[in-house]
Amino acid sequence: MLIRVALPRSAPEALIYRVPADLEPFATPGVRVRVQVKQRKVTGLIVETNVDCDLADSKIREIVEIMDSESLLPKHLLDIAAFVSGYYRCGLGDTLAAMLPASLLRSDSEEVRLTPTGAALAPDGLSAAQQGVLELLRESGSMKMPTLLSRLRTTSRTVVRDLQDLGAVRLKSRRRDRAPQVEVAAVRLRGTLEPEELLAQCSRAPKQQVVIEWLLQVARPALVQDVCSATGTSPSVIAALAKKGLVERFTQLPPQRSRWSLPGATERFELTDEQQIAVDCLLQAVSARRFESILLEGVTGAGKTEVYLRALEEVVRSGGTGLVMVPEIGLTPAVVGAVEARFGSQVALMHSAQTDGERWREWRRIHRNEVSIVVGPRSALFAPMSNLGLIVIDEEHDGAYKQQEAPRYHARDMALVVARELGIPALMCTATPSTEAAALLERGLAQRLVLSRRVAGGTLPEVEIVDLRKERPDPGEQGRTLFSKRLHDALGGTLERGEQAILLMQRRGWAPTLLCRDCGHRVQCPSCSVSLVVHRQDASLRCHYCGYTRKLPSSCPQCGGGLLDAIGAGTEKVAHRFAELYPDIPVGVLDRDVVRRRTGLEETLGSFASGKTRVLIGTQMVAKGHHFPNVTLTGVISADAMLSLPDFRAGERTFQLLTQVGGRAGRGTKPGRVILQTYYPDHPAVRHAAQHDTASFLEEELLYRSAFSYPPAARMILARFESASEGSARKVATAAARAASSASEGVRVRGPAPAPLEKIRNRWRWQVILTASNRASLRPALAAIESLQIPSSVHRVIDVDPLSTL
């Protein structure tokens, strides 16, 4: 039997292999197989069986082994993988790798080692590349294959293979396609020995005695890592004790780490009339098991979560499962709390902050049908759920649903495709519908349900616009102010009443730029065309794109001058300034730096939810999905931060962010207030957000998109070319623009031009943007770009339906 096998990072298309007759019963779509590609063994996934092929039998290789007893993915996800691969122009193997736990299709680790022959090999007759490999290996002795190739600035392994044939280097491979270790090592005392006898038998080994004494004290089995941590010893000490027969080693499942979530309401409130209409409509689609795209548009605090929880209850009651998607991890604890309060242990959580082991255990629970509800960001769409009955896309407007690495899929759009494939409803929830959702409504491709009132009975918060042009600047802030008089007064009143406040600042760190006042030099990242961000907490400068870090200098790197100024503000500076104004008020900060710490999100949101923290300062992570009834004031330090970005979605994102963060205020019984500080009080995004007027904003925004042929009025594809050589990237982008222009009529070609972020990680970025009224017109132009033969030093990125042109 012949099969097609998708291979991550090895081949863009699935390859054909033969299955030995004795393995044919186990070869089914969705199982992993080990196969030979050139001189390497790699792990792939069967995507098709009983394949017809015209190739001669002698040219078709047999598989090496079948690794699974059952399919890892249900049929609908295999079909979706094929769709994602074709639509978003990503290799099928790479698409499948993104859908599975990271380790299952991980490529082998390859190490290149210098042999004695290579060490003595004369350069005569060797190419420059071969000499370069030997020079690098003579310095280090061995090197990982990816590191070696990156140092050579090539992706081709040919030079290493040629040296291997000469006996100059040796390749060592280590398999990494195993599932994470589920059980962990543990140890217990031998029950047949008395304490005195145990200690006597290791009297000459002090470290062994320490371990025995500790185990006697706790009087229970313990994890090896806990024993070593508590006693300051290593696992070899425990191994020595086991060899003496004093302790017994075994393995067990790790203790379940408590999964933190914000507590959800346990009471079942009576639904409002609008909520009941929405629930009834949704249940009709669920019970009829028909595809329906439904937009649930509700003001902040209108009870959208309760609507989909009621629908999910019916799905689970009828034996089905449900998926709740959230845009990012910052929103996950709130949603998990609400869902767990209703469904308890039937809930599985998936997100990128989990360790490989945690993610594997949750994935395995889902695969074994041990859960009814899955909650998580965009990758949760690929959870191997059976009998799926409802997909919920919470905060459907959020840009975090778009993947920025291959496969560059949009999870909201793919959720609609999955729902259509399965014939089930998909519910999009938001207070600020995206222009794409508005376009679906205009075309009759979605049904709109409205929740116009807050369930607590209160009104939407009153919004005040503060014109910063009329404010006195803060000392040392280059003509700007962080806390206007109005915001300062409002904060004082809020805190005096024992209430809480949220302050939005869209940048993290202390300040986005370090400027020399003597020569005008901005301290920039050596690898990216951006300024380094000042982080005063650890006295560092950091690049938020490549991760480069250096110490905060005391003098200008360019002229040596000492007048260095931190221009602008981030969350650190806002928190510092707040502490100066209100030194006795506990404040928390929530941004990407905090969330990177393992318990950062838990500690920050938990402290704010309990009232220990009175004010929460953060980036857009504070703006959506959270329900804190004691928050009565929301302040936006700078409503203009995104308006200056060279991106056609800047206005839409600003409107959504301002509306969402404003909605955090007044969600309990007390009225709320929002203060927007801005230098552009007449901008449509600011004006409509202040008036809670989503309909008018969308109407104006769609007219603007239509006038300039931007999505959703047009279809768009971005082709970007990245290279260590600016000239190479520009040359290929020019050829791509020329090829696209001549390939299809009705396609507007913008570029070639440098990307607004011209260089990232030492790679220059040039791009071409294609727009057309329909997808069919774009296909020939895209095919022309993809068919270009480009040098290996240039990386081509195809982004279909890009969410950003930066």
Side-chain angles (χ1 to χ4, degrees):
M1 180 174 69
L2 300 183
I3 60 172
R4 290 190 193 275
V5 179
L7 302 167
R9 297 167 295 277
S10 297
E13 304 291 336
L15 302 182
I16 294 178
Y17 287 87
R18 179 184 294 104
V19 179
D22 59 325
L23 293 180
E24 285 186 7
F26 308 100
T28 58
V31 303
R32 291 176 299 159
V33 290
R34 192 81 170 161
V35 298
Q36 187 91 16
V37 176
K38 295 183 179 179
Q39 300 178 35
R40 294 186 302 144
K41 288 178 181 167
V42 297
T43 302
L45 203 75
I46 298 177
V47 293
E48 187 181 353
T49 57
N50 299 309
V51 175
D52 293 326
C53 179
D54 296 331
L55 288 174
D57 288 348
S58 59
K59 294 186 176 182
I60 301 177
R61 286 177 165 173
E62 280 194 349
I63 63 170
V64 177
E65 65 172 312
I66 292 179
M67 300 174 61
D68 304 301
S69 59
E70 58 181 335
S71 177
L72 300 179
L73 294 172
K75 182 182 183 304
H76 79 271
L77 287 184
L78 292 173
D79 294 339
I80 290 301
F83 180 88
V84 169
S85 173
Y87 185 84
Y88 290 103
R89 317 309 297 164
C90 177
L92 182 56
D94 293 331
T95 302
L96 288 164
M99 298 172 71
L100 290 167
S103 60
L104 297 188
L105 289 178
R106 191 173 283 160
S107 60
D108 292 2
S109 170
E110 287 186 299
E111 186 178 58
V112 185
R113 294 186 175 182
L114 185 69
T115 65
T117 301
L121 194 63
D124 300 340
L126 297 179
S127 68
Q130 290 173 331
Q131 292 180 45
V133 170
L134 294 179
E135 287 176 9
L136 289 171
L137 293 178
R138 282 167 184 154
E139 292 176 7
S140 60
S142 64
M143 195 173 287
K144 298 290 186 183
M145 179 72 84
T147 305
L148 179 61
L149 296 180
S150 68
R151 296 280 294 274
L152 295 171
R153 296 192 173 183
T154 182
T155 57
S156 173
R157 300 166 179 261
T158 304
V159 61
V160 178
R161 300 297 181 189
D162 291 343
L163 288 172
Q164 185 182 23
D165 293 341
L166 293 173
V169 300
R170 182 164 55 90
L171 289 182
K172 183 179 180 181
S173 296
R174 180 174 63 85
R175 290 185 64 169
R176 301 189 304 161
D177 57 359
R178 307 298 190 187
Q181 186 68 38
V182 175
E183 295 193 334
V184 293
V187 62
R188 57 188 164 219
L189 294 170
R190 288 279 186 184
T192 56
L193 299 175
E194 294 296 325
E196 295 78 9
E197 188 177 353
L198 288 169
L199 292 170
Q201 291 197 31
C202 54
S203 57
R204 296 185 178 181
K207 290 184 178 181
Q208 293 178 17
Q209 271 195 326
V210 170
V211 170
I212 294 295
E213 288 171 353
W214 188 85
L215 288 172
L216 287 169
Q217 182 180 354
V218 298
R220 57 171 173 78
L223 299 183
V224 168
Q225 64 180 19
D226 291 343
V227 175
C228 294
S229 175
T231 60
T233 57
S234 67
S236 61
V237 176
I238 297 173
L241 287 169
K243 192 173 182 180
K244 290 181 177 180
L246 304 182
V247 300
E248 179 184 358
R249 291 183 293 178
F250 62 99
T251 60
Q252 66 173 45
L253 288 173
Q256 189 68 37
R257 193 167 66 91
S258 59
R259 184 168 65 205
W260 177 77
S261 61
L262 289 173
T266 54
E267 315 97 291
R268 293 176 63 87
F269 296 100
E270 184 177 348
L271 298 177
T272 65
D273 293 342
E274 289 179 330
Q275 284 180 309
Q276 190 62 59
I277 291 171
V279 170
D280 291 343
C281 178
L282 198 51
L283 290 181
Q284 286 178 11
V286 168
S287 60
R289 197 164 179 86
R290 68 171 183 268
F291 168 63
E292 197 161 333
S293 175
I294 302 171
L295 176 67
L296 180 60
E297 181 183 348
V299 298
T300 54
K304 297 182 287 293
T305 302
E306 185 61 31
V307 169
Y308 68 68
L309 287 177
R310 297 288 178 101
L312 286 170
E313 283 180 329
E314 184 57 35
V315 169
V316 173
R317 192 178 296 115
S318 61
T321 59
L323 170 64
V324 180
M325 295 171 58
V326 294
E328 57 183 322
I329 183 178
L331 191 57
T332 303
V335 176
V336 171
V339 177
E340 281 191 332
R342 196 66 54 91
F343 297 99
S345 61
Q346 298 179 72
V347 180
L349 174 63
M350 298 181 72
H351 60 76
S352 58
Q354 292 170 317
T355 65
D356 283 352
E358 289 170 338
R359 190 172 178 81
W360 164 250
R361 283 192 289 274
E362 291 289 80
W363 185 91
R364 194 172 63 164
R365 289 177 65 213
I366 300 166
H367 189 260
R368 292 176 172 178
N369 298 319
E370 295 175 1
V371 300
S372 300
I373 307 292
V374 173
V375 180
R378 55 180 177 263
S379 59
L381 178 64
F382 304 133
M385 306 177 73
S386 59
N387 200 23
L388 192 58
L390 174 64
I391 300 177
V392 177
I393 308 108
D394 208 352
E395 308 289 356
E396 66 81 20
H397 65 275
D398 200 289
Y401 279 124
K402 173 71 171 176
Q403 174 91 351
Q404 296 304 320
E405 299 175 348
R408 291 176 169 80
Y409 66 96
H410 197 297
R412 177 202 59 212
D413 298 346
M414 288 303 97
L416 296 179
V417 173
V418 170
R420 185 182 61 191
E421 174 84 9
L422 295 176
I424 61 173
L427 180 67
M428 300 179 287
C429 303
T430 182
T432 53
S434 62
T435 51
E436 285 77 15
L440 288 176
L441 293 173
E442 276 193 355
R443 295 161 58 195
L445 298 178
Q447 179 183 357
R448 181 171 178 252
L449 301 173
V450 178
L451 303 179
S452 61
R453 300 185 302 275
R454 287 188 157 182
V455 291
T459 59
L460 289 172
E462 176 189 342
V463 182
E464 297 180 49
I465 296 178
V466 175
D467 188 345
L468 290 177
R469 295 172 299 182
K470 301 175 181 178
E471 290 291 316
R472 170 181 281 184
D474 293 338
E477 283 303 315
Q478 303 82 38
R480 294 177 175 266
T481 183
L482 295 180
F483 291 87
S484 64
K485 184 179 185 306
R486 186 70 197 92
L487 179 57
H488 186 207
D489 292 345
L491 275 169
T494 299
L495 296 172
E496 283 179 11
R497 294 189 298 271
E499 297 161 0
Q500 292 175 292
I502 290 177
L503 299 177
L504 172 69
M505 182 68 220
Q506 289 97 310
R507 294 189 182 100
R508 55 193 168 102
W510 178 266
T513 302
L514 187 66
L515 177 72
C516 175
R517 290 295 186 185
D518 287 330
C519 69
H521 175 67
R522 288 187 310 149
V523 184
Q524 289 195 286
C525 174
S527 303
C528 308
S529 57
V530 296
S531 297
L532 291 174
V533 178
V534 180
H535 285 258
R536 209 168 90 164
Q537 217 170 31
D538 60 357
S540 70
L541 293 175
R542 296 186 212 164
C543 177
H544 288 176
Y545 289 90
C546 72
Y548 171 82
T549 302
R550 59 168 292 181
K551 289 184 178 179
L552 190 64
S554 57
S555 59
C556 174
Q558 186 87 352
C559 71
L563 293 177
L564 296 178
D565 230 344
I567 306 296
T571 50
E572 272 187 33
K573 184 183 282 189
V574 172
H576 177 80
R577 179 65 177 142
F578 178 87
E580 289 180 337
L581 296 172
Y582 304 98
D584 298 326
I585 301 298
V587 61
V589 174
L590 182 64
D591 58 22
R592 196 65 62 185
D593 294 328
V594 172
V595 170
R596 282 198 182 102
R597 301 200 312 264
R598 186 171 181 84
T599 60
L601 181 68
E602 172 182 345
E603 292 170 354
T604 304
L605 287 183
S607 178
F608 192 65
S610 68
K612 293 179 182 177
T613 301
R614 300 283 304 283
V615 174
L616 182 62
I617 299 170
T619 56
Q620 62 181 6
M621 300 180 77
V622 304
K624 53 216 171 187
H626 305 302
H627 179 74
F628 300 114
N630 199 37
V631 172
T632 58
L633 175 67
T634 297
V636 179
I637 303 299
S638 173
D640 317 322
M642 291 189 292
L643 290 177
S644 59
L645 294 177
D647 194 303
F648 68 92
R649 297 183 190 271
E652 180 183 6
R653 288 176 180 153
T654 297
F655 172 80
Q656 291 167 345
L657 183 59
L658 297 181
T659 302
Q660 292 286 340
V661 74
R664 299 314 105 200
R667 295 172 71 93
T669 57
K670 304 169 187 175
R673 174 174 297 174
V674 182
I675 295 179
L676 304 181
Q677 299 185 155
T678 176
Y679 286 95
Y680 304 103
D682 297 322
H683 192 285
V686 176
R687 178 164 39 85
H688 290 308
Q691 296 167 353
H692 305 290
D693 191 354
T694 301
S696 296
F697 173 78
L698 287 173
E699 183 180 355
E700 290 184 24
E701 187 70 11
L702 288 172
L703 283 173
Y704 153 68
R705 302 285 182 89
S706 180
F708 290 95
S709 296
Y710 283 126
R715 299 296 180 183
M716 178 181 283
I717 294 176
L718 183 147
R720 189 169 62 242
F721 302 91
E722 304 173 352
S723 175
S725 163
E726 182 183 10
S728 297
R730 181 176 63 248
K731 182 178 179 181
V732 175
T734 302
R738 190 179 301 117
S741 298
S742 59
S744 177
E745 294 183 1
V747 175
R748 180 176 180 182
V749 179
R750 292 177 170 95
L757 294 172
E758 193 172 3
K759 187 173 71 165
I760 300 291
R761 296 183 181 88
N762 274 325
R763 299 187 71 82
W764 296 91
R765 308 158 83 239
W766 277 68
Q767 61 192 32
V768 177
I769 297 176
L770 312 178
T771 54
S773 59
N774 56 73
R775 291 192 184 97
S777 298
L778 286 173
R779 289 189 189 112
L782 178 57
I785 291 177
E786 290 184 319
S787 64
L788 285 175
Q789 296 297 314
I790 64 175
S792 59
S793 61
V794 178
H795 176 56
R796 175 170 45 206
V797 174
I798 302 297
D799 193 354
V800 179
D801 301 334
L803 214 59
S804 171
T805 55
L806 298 179

